[in-house]
Amino acid sequence: MDHSMTIAEIKLSFLRDQIRILSAALDPSEDWRDYGPEVEADIPDKVIDSVLQKSVNLVFGQHNRSVFSTQATHHVSQQIERLYMNSIDPGLGENSSQGLMVEHGTDLTTHENIERLPDEWLEKDVSAVNLERYKLLREQLDSLSTERNKQRQRLVQYKQLKTLLEPFNAPQTNIQPNLVTKDSQLAAELDRMRMLLAKLAARIKQVGQQQHNVSIAKPTAQDIDTKLAKILEMT
């Protein structure tokens, strides 16, 4: 065993060896037929191999790749290291968990995980170029996360405004049916009023011309009311 390896690295190596063993293809033993019942027609070896390779081993391999992923094995090895440190001294386990603020496979698209990133790279044996690169990427990631949060808040506000404006999608039904629109009741009344005014103006002009041509007595208030009633009846 290499004593320079950390506990997490040792456990990671062990996990990889076990995963490699579990991921090995399944092959039937040579005497597997001796354990089965006697039949008149045996299953050909070609059929057995085809079923194992195309069905069992294929599904088995897909399962192992999804369950025993690189991120999962790293996470388990780091948990083992912290548990071991806690068993020796709880303070060591806490320091270890604080030193490794973001584990392998952590989703860095969430704001909470981005906030957990240290301002500077914690390992010492890193070049100055990589340290500066990490700092720059950390700042860019934090800036993008802040901008995304602003856009999310703006989206929530827009959705609220959209909800408030939904009744205006059908104003004739939801607000006031007699609005000034082409087919509204108020528009019909305005058209009727314009026709009435046009007839009234024409009638007044005709009466004025008659007054210039014919000398008549000064009309009384009763005569004016009678003429106006006749004009209204014409409409």
Side-chain angles (χ1 to χ4, degrees):
M1 181 184 296
D2 188 358
H3 295 285
S4 63
M5 296 176 63
T6 63
I7 296 175
E9 291 173 345
I10 295 173
K11 297 305 178 183
L12 181 61
S13 177
F14 171 77
L15 290 173
R16 286 174 175 172
D17 292 338
Q18 299 304 310
I19 292 172
R20 191 177 301 109
I21 295 173
L22 292 174
S23 301
L26 298 177
D27 293 322
S29 60
E30 296 179 356
D31 57 346
W32 69 272
R33 297 181 186 275
D34 298 337
Y35 298 97
E38 295 182 359
V39 293
E40 295 181 357
D42 291 338
I43 302 175
D45 293 338
K46 186 176 181 180
V47 175
I48 299 298
D49 294 338
S50 177
V51 171
L52 284 175
Q53 295 299 329
K54 295 182 179 180
S55 299
V56 179
N57 287 334
L58 180 61
V59 175
F60 191 55
Q62 293 175 349
H63 171 77
N64 289 342
R65 284 191 295 271
S66 62
V67 175
F68 305 121
S69 62
T70 304
Q71 293 83 357
T73 53
H74 276 285
H75 182 66
V76 171
S77 63
Q78 291 159 5
Q79 284 184 326
I80 294 174
E81 182 181 43
R82 284 197 294 272
L83 291 173
Y84 177 75
M85 292 296 183
N86 282 327
S87 65
I88 299 175
D89 185 355
L92 293 176
E94 293 178 0
N95 293 333
S96 176
S97 62
Q98 292 176 359
L100 188 61
M101 301 182 70
V102 178
E103 301 172 349
H104 290 283
T106 301
D107 185 9
L108 293 180
T109 61
T110 62
H111 183 72
E112 293 77 11
N113 290 336
I114 294 174
E115 289 293 327
R116 292 173 55 197
L117 287 172
D119 295 334
E120 296 181 357
W121 192 256
L122 301 178
E123 296 181 2
K124 297 180 180 180
D125 54 344
V126 180
S127 63
V129 176
N130 288 332
L131 289 175
E132 186 65 25
R133 183 170 179 268
Y134 169 80
K135 185 177 180 180
L136 178 62
L137 293 175
R138 169 72 171 79
E139 293 175 354
Q140 291 179 353
L141 192 61
D142 184 66
S143 176
L144 291 173
S145 178
T146 303
E147 183 64 24
R148 181 181 58 183
N149 290 336
K150 292 181 181 179
Q151 296 298 332
R152 285 177 175 174
Q153 294 176 359
R154 187 176 301 175
L155 178 61
V156 172
Q157 294 177 354
Y158 287 160
K159 287 183 177 180
Q160 292 177 350
L161 291 175
K162 182 180 178 182
T163 303
L164 295 175
L165 293 175
E166 284 181 355
F168 293 93
N169 293 333
Q172 295 182 1
T173 304
N174 299 328
I175 300 177
Q176 189 175 359
N178 60 347
L179 289 174
V180 184
T181 58
K182 182 178 179 181
D183 300 327
S184 65
Q185 298 177 2
L186 184 57
E189 291 296 329
L190 291 175
D191 291 339
R192 183 172 178 274
M193 183 63 68
R194 282 194 291 268
M195 294 176 61
L196 177 61
L197 290 175
K199 292 180 180 180
L200 182 60
R203 188 63 176 172
I204 292 174
K205 183 178 180 180
Q206 183 180 1
V207 172
Q209 292 176 352
Q210 292 177 356
Q211 288 179 350
H212 286 290
N213 297 330
V214 181
S215 177
I216 58 176
K218 185 177 181 180
T220 61
Q222 184 177 3
D223 295 336
I224 295 175
D225 293 339
T226 303
K227 291 180 179 180
L228 184 58
K230 291 181 179 180
I231 293 173
L232 293 175
E233 289 176 358
M234 294 175 61
T235 61

